[in-house]
Amino acid sequence: MSRHVAIVTDSTAYLPRPAMARHGITAVPLTVVLGGEALEEGTEISARSLALALQKRRSVTTSRPGPEQFVRAYRAAADAGATGIVSLHLSAEFSGTYDAAVVAARTAPVPVRVLDTGMVAMALGFCALAAAEVAEAGGSVDEAVAAAEKRAADMAAYFYVDTLDYLRRGGRIGAAQALLGSALAVKPLLTLEGGRIEMLEKVRTSSKAIARLEELAVERAGSAEVDVAVHHLAAPERAEKLAERLRERIPGLVELHVSEVGAVIGAHTGPGLLAAVVSPR
């Protein structure tokens, strides 16, 4: 990492590995605890293994990285020549990851700006990419942070889950919890708002919910230049079909990423997740 501003994020950004390598982005892993065994996301547990465990109703919890993991990442960036670091993380409403990064930043060998993006998955990943592009162009820490904040402010993330039960169990359902009793009987569409998961709409069938998810993404994209990500958990055919339709229907589409979420987010959404992230350029 030769540029003077380094970009650090966490494993819930679900950035494609080639993109991380191309932009020199470091991702600090969160942990999934499965049957009492702590496993690092991305290296020690796959999304498929997680989905199977959930389907068998095995106990699954998640935990943040420790501050020492961030300290190591910051030192490595400084050793590689960075004179400043931008550290971008998933919503503090979901995890203590941001807090751990803040603690680590106090003892980092170079200045570190830690940002709670209020996002997760590629909604976080697009923020990291925006910051990295500014850093590559010779921008300052403040300019990289501003680019990430703008991306976050313009971002839209919509997602469908087969059931709210996993979100309820993990305590991640936010204000939508008030609607839980009735929503469990329908197919919910959710969104990210203010760093929280909020109920957007309740639809009677999965096919109607997925069709509505497509409409929301197309409406949000409009005719502007946008990047889009489609995520899933154990639903690759659903994801590919949605991606194909979005390719056809979004005229300003620049980049489209299709990927399975990792174990940390999957543990809270359950198999069947389908999500669309729209990020205006």
Side-chain angles (χ1 to χ4, degrees), residues 185-203:
V186 299
K187 297 300 181 183
L189 282 175
L190 305 159
T191 189
L192 286 176
E193 190 70 41
R196 297 186 179 93
I197 296 170
E198 303 285 0
M199 179 71 70
L200 188 62
E201 296 179 11
K202 294 179 287 181
V203 186

Side-chain angles (χ1 to χ4, degrees), residues 46-70:
S46 67
R48 292 297 166 85
S49 298
L50 182 278
L52 288 172
L54 291 174
Q55 287 163 350
K56 294 176 181 177
R57 301 193 69 81
R58 293 183 64 189
S59 173
V60 180
T61 58
T62 61
S63 66
R64 71 177 192 179
E68 66 280 358
Q69 290 171 270
F70 284 106

Side-chain angles (χ1 to χ4, degrees), residues 157-174:
Y158 309 108
F159 57 107
Y160 160 84
V161 290
D162 278 333
T163 173
L164 287 171
D165 193 42
Y166 295 101
L167 287 164
R168 177 186 59 80
R169 279 190 253 163
R172 299 305 200 278
I173 205 163

Side-chain angles (χ1 to χ4, degrees), residues 159-164 183-190 201-216 235 237-239 241-242 245 271-275:
F159 57 107
Y160 160 84
V161 290
D162 278 333
T163 173
L164 287 171
L184 282 171
V186 299
K187 297 300 181 183
L189 282 175
L190 305 159
E201 296 179 11
K202 294 179 287 181
V203 186
R204 285 295 174 187
T205 66
S206 59
S207 60
K208 288 181 179 178
I210 292 169
R212 182 59 181 146
L213 178 70
E214 177 186 338
E215 290 302 321
L216 287 166
E237 291 183 3
R238 270 182 183 172
K241 287 178 181 177
L242 176 60
R245 291 192 293 269
L273 164 74
L274 187 63

Side-chain angles (χ1 to χ4, degrees), residues 64-192:
R64 71 177 192 179
E68 66 280 358
Q69 290 171 270
F70 284 106
V71 169
R72 287 196 293 271
Y74 298 157
R75 284 178 179 162
D79 290 345
T83 57
I85 298 170
V86 177
S87 198
L88 305 156
H89 301 293
L90 81 162
S91 172
E93 295 285 341
F94 301 157
S95 166
T97 301
Y98 167 80
D99 293 333
V102 169
V103 170
R106 294 172 188 154
T107 58
V110 296
V112 180
R113 284 280 302 278
V114 184
L115 181 64
D116 172 8
T117 65
M119 299 291 153
V120 73
M122 273 300 293
L124 167 59
F126 285 133
C127 292
L129 289 173
E133 288 168 1
V134 169
E136 286 166 2
S140 66
V141 165
D142 287 346
E143 288 168 335
V145 168
E149 288 177 332
K150 186 177 187 311
R151 273 278 176 132
D154 295 340
M155 199 87 63
Y158 309 108
F159 57 107
Y160 160 84
V161 290
D162 278 333
T163 173
L164 287 171
D165 193 42
Y166 295 101
L167 287 164
R168 177 186 59 80
R169 279 190 253 163
R172 299 305 200 278
I173 205 163
Q177 195 152 9
L179 300 170
L180 188 60
S182 60
L184 282 171
V186 299
K187 297 300 181 183
L189 282 175
L190 305 159
T191 189
L192 286 176

Side-chain angles (χ1 to χ4, degrees), residues 234-256:
E237 291 183 3
R238 270 182 183 172
E240 286 298 339
K241 287 178 181 177
L242 176 60
E244 287 173 14
R245 291 192 293 269
L246 294 180
R247 281 190 192 98
E248 294 170 358
R249 299 189 61 191
I250 297 178
L253 184 63
V254 180
E255 290 187 6
L256 176 62

